[in-house]
Amino acid sequence: MKAEQDGDLLEEDSPQDNGVQTNQYSSISPPASPVAQEEPFSTYFEDKVAIPENVNQVFSFRKLWAFTGPGFLMSIAYLDPGNIESDLQSGAKAGFKLLWVLLVATIIGLLLQRLAARLGVVTGMHLAEVCNRQYPTVPRVILWLMVELAIIGSDMQEVIGCAIALNLLSVGRIPLWAGVLITITDTFVFLFLDKYGLRKLEAFFGFLITVMALSFGYEYVLVKPDQGELLKGMFLPYCAGCGPVQLEQAVGIVGAVIMPHNIYLHSALVKSRDIDRKNKKEVKEANKYYFIESTIALFISFLINVFVVAVFAEAFYNKTNMEVHEFCNKTGSPHSGLFPQDNNTLEVDIYKGGVVLGCVFGPAALYIWAIGILAAGQSSTMTGTYSGQFVMEGFLNLRWSRFARVLLTRSIAITPTLLVAIFQDVQHLTGMNDFLNVLQSMQLPFALIPILTFTSLTSIMNDFANGLVWKISGGVVILVVCAINMYFVVVYVTALNSVLLYVLAAIFSIAYLCFVGYLVTLYIPV
């Protein structure tokens, strides 16, 4: 699909195409800047994957294979270091009891990704581009800034995750700041793999997902979790004996799994397949195969997340610092000082999680854990950079060279990440991760509201617009997310014990809810 196909969106009257009624997208206005450029949208879309023709079966594995790729790149956001840390904390704090929350959050994420893919397939534009054409200037700029904040927060978690993995693999010889610089540098190298072909790039991401599955799967087999408790926790929506700590962890799971920039990313990735958008049958078929592919990809990511939760639920639930300290002393681990000699409940993060695994199950468990974290951080860092490029190109209508776009989007997150790496100790990063999860969760409505709005407008989606059930359920999800965000703000600010911060949080919450309400009223789905 060529960039010029965006002009199809301006058609007032769509003729019959081989007997199939075509869609009309007359409500979307053209971009503000000229379309004719030397290098239009070269990122990721220099080549298109052809879809096999003359395959008339209800289901074709050949066609599914042709559509396979975007969903797996999207699913990497469900496996980033922030998610892995949320998983291990869930297992350590609540055992198997919150697995059902992870399952529900993943299902909600799948349904939202379905909307993102449908928007990209039907309109030929990704969400940021549609926002650029549909929203007035002021809310559009604010929306862009909110999404950029989410991307920066996610990027910091991912880069720090890679740096922690390198620190563990090098037995502390690579400090956190050096790991950040290495990650930033090699991300530039890997991002240019798409010049060697789109399918090769997608295969590389598939390789990284495989590394994660093998690494965390090894830990799962090593620990041998109780399968009965695992199934009970996954399918019984109840948390016996849970208190505020477990409730906060459940809220954190939702915030970590459903990420705002991933909706923008997925709506762009689906443009990489050669689909005739004038042909309603082809569009319908593309939506079907993308949904199947996304389901498979998120199922795999869910299993990997379950591996992590189950490992820490089986081995470290209700364990005390003293018990872990003794384990580390017995094995001669140099990290026993990480755990004070008291009877407080064990608290772990990505770094301490690897150390604990090494103490209890041997050095191999630590290094394999670190390899999995490195694959998670590296892959999610790359897709996060793609998200930043698509968002900037869409909202700001940029037509820069590939290198300039990568350099700018990568540089935005470098400064805060390096500052954290230099001034924060590798052993005490949990507080930062909690803050970044809150930050990203706060930005979630700024992806949910646009995607639900635009996929519900018949003037944009025509026959593929959301039905009443989707509109109602989407509205409920938005309300729940806003409630979760307010809970996050209250919990986080209360812990800081400052009257000034209470007042600022109240002002911020009011402004936040007003802007969310304003976005909702800009377009009432019809």
Side-chain angles (χ1 to χ4, degrees):
M1 194 187 308
K2 304 293 186 290
E4 290 80 7
Q5 285 179 323
D6 285 350
D8 295 338
L9 299 168
L10 308 177
E11 293 177 356
E12 295 287 347
D13 299 303
S14 298
Q16 299 283 335
D17 187 6
N18 296 327
V20 179
Q21 179 63 41
T22 60
N23 289 334
Q24 301 178 25
Y25 310 107
S26 58
S27 70
I28 300 183
S29 59
S33 62
V35 175
Q37 298 287 338
E38 291 183 1
E39 189 192 16
F41 288 97
S42 66
T43 305
Y44 193 79
F45 303 127
E46 286 188 340
D47 57 343
K48 299 284 184 180
V49 176
I51 306 301
E53 298 179 358
N54 302 321
V55 180
N56 298 318
Q57 305 101 295
V58 176
F59 176 81
S60 166
F61 281 104
R62 284 182 60 207
K63 285 196 173 183
L64 178 61
W65 177 248
F67 282 105
T68 296
F72 281 88
L73 268 67
M74 167 274 295
S75 72
I76 285 171
Y78 291 73
L79 296 167
D80 73 351
N83 275 288
I84 301 301
E85 183 157 323
S86 176
D87 292 337
L88 65 89
Q89 289 177 347
S90 171
K93 293 178 180 179
F96 298 98
K97 299 174 185 177
L98 295 180
L99 277 173
W100 66 272
V101 178
L102 177 63
L103 176 62
V104 171
T106 304
I107 292 172
I108 293 174
L110 172 63
L111 298 179
L112 293 173
Q113 300 301 156
R114 174 182 180 271
L115 294 182
R118 284 170 69 88
L119 181 72
V121 170
V122 173
T123 66
M125 298 193 300
H126 56 74
L127 181 56
E129 292 175 302
V130 177
C131 288
N132 182 40
R133 288 156 175 78
Q134 295 294 93
Y135 282 131
T137 303
V138 173
R140 184 172 72 239
V141 171
I142 295 175
L143 195 61
W144 168 64
L145 291 174
M146 294 298 101
V147 178
E148 286 292 351
L149 273 177
I151 293 173
I152 291 172
S154 175
D155 206 32
M156 288 180 68
Q157 286 178 309
E158 293 153 2
V159 173
I160 292 293
C162 284
I164 289 174
L166 291 171
N167 183 273
L168 287 171
L169 288 170
S170 65
V171 198
R173 292 187 180 90
I174 300 178
L176 201 61
W177 62 267
V180 168
L181 292 177
I182 292 171
T183 302
I184 290 169
T185 303
D186 64 26
T187 299
F188 273 104
V189 175
F190 288 138
L191 279 172
F192 286 93
L193 284 175
D194 61 6
K195 290 190 74 71
Y196 296 97
L198 180 58
R199 296 299 265 178
K200 291 184 177 64
L201 176 70
E202 292 173 346
F204 179 68
F205 280 99
F207 166 75
L208 292 176
I209 292 175
T210 303
V211 170
M212 283 182 264
L214 293 175
S215 298
F216 300 131
Y218 169 84
E219 310 285 356
Y220 182 85
V221 172
L222 185 68
V223 174
K224 299 176 182 177
D226 186 319
Q227 300 302 304
E229 288 297 313
L230 186 150
L231 293 174
K232 180 182 175 182
M234 189 179 299
F235 296 109
L236 185 62
Y238 181 67
C239 191
C242 291
V245 173
Q246 288 75 24
L247 176 60
E248 186 176 345
Q249 190 59 46
V251 173
I253 291 172
V254 177
V257 169
I258 307 173
M259 305 181 73
H261 66 279
N262 208 36
I263 295 174
Y264 287 86
L265 174 68
H266 198 197
S267 66
L269 294 176
V270 297
K271 292 170 60 178
S272 60
R273 267 50 183 177
D274 194 4
I275 303 164
D276 181 6
R277 293 188 302 103
K278 295 180 181 179
N279 189 317
K280 182 178 177 181
K281 181 180 177 182
E282 282 196 26
V283 172
K284 185 176 180 180
E285 184 179 68
N287 285 329
K288 178 182 75 173
Y289 282 107
Y290 274 134
F291 182 64
I292 295 172
E293 184 233 5
S294 297
T295 302
I296 296 171
L298 287 188
F299 176 72
I300 293 172
S301 72
F302 173 71
L303 286 182
I304 295 173
N305 282 313
V306 168
F307 289 162
V308 178
V309 174
V311 165
F312 283 84
E314 181 68 29
F316 306 114
Y317 177 50
N318 278 338
K319 290 289 190 298
T320 65
N321 287 323
M322 179 67 76
E323 290 175 291
V324 176
H325 182 88
E326 291 175 357
F327 272 126
C328 291
N329 268 340
K330 288 178 182 177
T331 57
S333 170
H335 302 291
S336 59
L338 279 176
F339 311 100
Q341 299 183 54
D342 57 40
N343 289 318
N344 292 332
T345 303
L346 174 69
E347 291 189 7
V348 287
D349 52 28
I350 290 177
Y351 180 79
K352 291 181 181 177
V355 170
V356 169
L357 287 171
C359 288
V360 179
F361 299 105
L366 185 153
Y367 293 124
I368 292 173
W369 168 262
I371 290 171
I373 295 297
L374 182 62
Q378 188 63 70
S379 56
S380 54
T381 299
M382 293 164 64
T383 55
T385 303
Y386 275 123
S387 300
Q389 291 172 243
F390 294 138
V391 165
M392 292 196 72
E393 291 168 352
F395 276 107
L396 305 183
N397 204 26
L398 293 178
R399 297 295 189 276
W400 292 2
S401 69
R402 177 197 302 269
F403 181 79
R405 287 196 304 268
V406 174
L407 183 63
L408 178 60
T409 54
R410 179 89 311 214
S411 299
I412 288 175
I414 285 178
T415 302
T417 306
L418 271 178
L419 289 174
V420 169
I422 292 171
F423 295 106
Q424 181 69 288
D425 189 84
V426 68
Q427 302 169 8
H428 303 92
L429 290 171
T430 301
M432 185 202 72
N433 190 67
D434 292 341
F435 171 76
L436 293 176
N437 279 339
V438 172
L439 176 67
Q440 291 174 82
S441 182
M442 293 295 292
Q443 313 310 318
L444 193 51
F446 307 125
L448 298 187
I449 293 173
I451 196 64
L452 179 64
T453 297
F454 297 135
T455 55
S456 296
L457 291 172
T458 54
S459 56
I460 293 177
M461 301 292 288
N462 202 8
D463 294 340
F464 296 95
N466 294 331
L468 182 61
V469 173
W470 273 97
K471 296 175 185 177
I472 294 174
S473 58
V476 170
V477 169
I478 291 172
L479 289 175
V480 170
V481 167
C482 288
I484 288 174
N485 290 339
M486 291 303 100
Y487 174 83
F488 257 140
V489 171
V490 170
V491 169
Y492 190 78
V493 173
T494 303
L496 299 176
N497 296 317
S498 169
V499 176
L500 177 61
L501 290 176
Y502 294 161
V503 175
L504 291 175
I507 295 172
F508 171 78
S509 298
I510 293 171
Y512 173 83
L513 292 174
C514 287
F515 184 63
V516 168
Y518 175 65
L519 281 181
V520 172
T521 58
L522 276 177
Y523 285 95
I524 302 297
V526 294

